[in-house]
């Protein structure tokens, strides 16, 4: 309520920062308790909202056999983060859910869903299968769950899913298919 039609013209840039990304920045920054969180290139940055300095940076390395059809289009692109309790939730391109302490960036857990039928796209020359699930959409926090979208329709035609993960453990509580397949 401090900014209005009369004083909006007086706003000035307080600071600017670049995370040095290799891909397009697609995420809307997330603000909470004096920090601004931003994902890019399978990294999460926490910036001090007052001056733009990096408070912490978390980096996820994609697997050595990461690859597959059209995967360069997806790699490093993220459209958001979620916050729930003391954690910031990040979904890396290979569909791993990362629960990061909002103040320190320390990982509470990193949950992999390959064994539950959601493998990531693999380099065909290394794995003989390029099909797999990839994430560029950010997770969504709702009471009691972190929602994840698991997409494979662009990497070989597997059905897409929405899954709900337990925010304390990352375990999938339920999932359902959102693309029609025969």
């Amino acid at each position: 309520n401090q900014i209005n039609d009369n004083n909006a013209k007086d706003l000035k840039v307080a600071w600017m920062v670049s995370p040095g990304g290799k891909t397009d920045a697609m995420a809307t920054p997330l603000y909470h308790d004096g920090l601004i969180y931003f994902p890019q290139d399978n990294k999460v940055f926490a910036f001090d909202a007052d001056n733009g300095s990096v408070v912490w940076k978390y980096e996820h390395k994609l697997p050595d056999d990461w690859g597959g059809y059209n995967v360069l289009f997806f790699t490093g692109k993220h459209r958001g983060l979620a916050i729930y309790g003391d954690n910031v939730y990040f979904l890396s391109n290979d569909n791993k859910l990362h629960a990061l302490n909002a103040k320190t960036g320390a990982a509470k857990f990193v949950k992999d869903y390959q064994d539950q039928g959601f493998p990531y796209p693999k380099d065909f020359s290394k794995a003989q299968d390029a099909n797999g699930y990839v994430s560029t959409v950010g997770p969504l926090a709702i009471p009691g769950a972190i929602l994840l979208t698991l997409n494979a329709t662009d990497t070989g035609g597997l059905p897409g899913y929405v899954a709900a993960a337990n925010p304390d453990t990352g375990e999938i509580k339920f999932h359902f298919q959102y693309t029609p397949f025969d």
Side-chain angles (χ1 to χ4, degrees), residues 20-129:
K22 296 177 185 174
T23 61
D24 301 335
M26 297 183 164
T28 299
L30 177 66
Y31 173 82
H32 178 70
D33 200 21
L35 296 177
I36 296 174
Y37 304 95
F38 186 77
Q40 189 170 11
D41 294 333
N42 288 288
K43 300 172 189 160
V44 178
F45 298 87
F47 300 105
D48 184 306
D50 289 331
N51 58 33
S53 64
V54 176
V55 175
W56 56 260
K57 178 176 98 170
Y58 175 85
E59 187 167 355
H60 172 67
K61 182 182 178 308
L62 291 172
D64 290 337
D65 62 351
W66 171 256
Y69 169 74
N70 210 18
V71 79
L72 291 178
F73 176 75
F74 302 113
T75 303
K77 297 177 181 176
H78 308 282
R79 293 185 178 97
L81 300 164
I83 194 157
Y84 189 94
D86 294 332
N87 298 314
V88 171
Y89 292 86
F90 168 62
L91 195 56
S92 54
N93 290 146
D94 55 350
N95 290 311
K96 290 183 174 84
L97 179 62
H98 305 250
L100 310 174
N101 180 282
K103 293 293 181 192
T104 67
K108 177 179 179 178
F109 66 77
V110 177
K111 183 66 178 163
D112 186 343
Y113 301 112
Q114 281 197 90
D115 61 346
Q116 296 181 35
F118 302 112
Y120 56 81
K122 295 179 173 67
D123 180 338
F124 188 80
S125 66
K126 296 178 183 176
Q128 278 63 58
D129 183 6

